Amino acid sequence: MGPYLDAGPLNPSPSEAHGILCGLICGGEAHALESWLAQVAPTPDAGEALVAEGRAALRECGLAIEREFQGREPLIGLPSPGDSAPLGERALWLYDWIRGFLYALGLVSLSESDLSEQGREILRDLTAITQMDLDDLEETEENEQALAEVVEFVRVAAMLIHHERAVARAQTTNQAISTGPETDPE
């Protein structure tokens, strides 16, 4: 996926690209996959073959991510370089994912006022996590445990935002249907 992302307008890391799509979905973007591809897929100046190949590969990856949200119990699987990777590298992947997620929420114009108090607190917490100092992260059991807890928090936080936005969309749709034009059943 890397070469395709490198040829895109944003040049995101794989983790950041994953976060962008999750943010678009959680934020309520109606055409999340297409919006995501516009952000991350190779641009025409990358060459026709790379554009076609990249869009196809990224679309397949994006569809797999979207499927995570379509089950009865939606679940976000956060990407990781693997448990054997150094702690700093795994923390950087999480950092990139959160940055992508927050960027996408901005793309869909989601503001704190669109969320519950808990949702607003989640946004503030996610923003605070992006201010972590990853340079001095020591490989300790305590830091391993802390990273595991932050990963779980981020996963649950994203699902909470997804749920809140889904409920808000359903209420808006139901309200539009119930206040729609009345018909006279002659």
Side-chain angles (χ1 to χ4, degrees):
M1 200 163 78
Y4 305 130
L5 295 173
D6 291 343
L10 291 181
N11 190 16
S13 70
S15 183
E16 192 172 17
H18 188 284
I20 292 170
L21 181 53
C22 289
L24 290 169
I25 293 167
C26 291
E29 172 63 40
H31 305 286
L33 183 58
E34 290 308 314
S35 294
W36 180 69
L37 288 171
Q39 296 290 318
V40 302
T43 57
D45 61 330
E48 194 174 311
L50 186 62
V51 169
E53 185 180 304
R55 282 188 73 80
L58 289 168
R59 179 179 297 284
E60 185 176 315
C61 178
L63 287 170
I65 294 168
E66 279 188 330
R67 280 192 292 275
E68 293 177 353
F69 289 90
Q70 294 170 350
R72 185 172 177 87
E73 297 275 334
L75 182 66
I76 295 177
L78 298 178
S80 169
D83 290 339
S84 62
L87 181 69
E89 186 178 340
R90 287 180 282 135
L92 181 60
W93 273 65
L94 179 63
Y95 170 84
D96 281 352
W97 189 92
I98 296 169
R99 281 181 15 151
F101 186 80
L102 293 172
Y103 170 78
L105 294 181
L107 286 176
V108 298
S109 300
L110 183 75
S111 69
E112 285 193 9
S113 64
D114 297 322
L115 296 169
S116 68
E117 181 56 40
Q118 183 179 26
R120 290 190 291 275
E121 186 175 329
I122 285 170
L123 278 183
R124 290 188 292 272
D125 289 345
L126 291 175
T127 301
I129 293 170
T130 64
Q131 297 166 3
M132 291 186 304
D133 181 9
L134 300 178
D135 294 331
D136 298 325
L137 196 58
E138 294 180 28
E139 297 269 347
T140 65
E141 186 60 38
E142 184 178 304
N143 284 342
E144 285 285 346
Q145 182 63 34
L147 181 61
E149 289 173 10
V150 171
V151 166
E152 184 61 16
F153 167 78
V154 169
R155 192 184 66 70
V156 171
M159 290 311 307
L160 258 159
I161 290 174
H162 178 259
H163 177 74
E164 273 193 29
R165 299 308 301 148
V167 167
R169 284 188 304 278
Q171 288 173 344
T172 301
T173 301
N174 289 340
Q175 192 174 38
I177 291 170
S178 68
T179 60
E182 293 184 29
T183 57
D184 188 10
E186 290 178 49

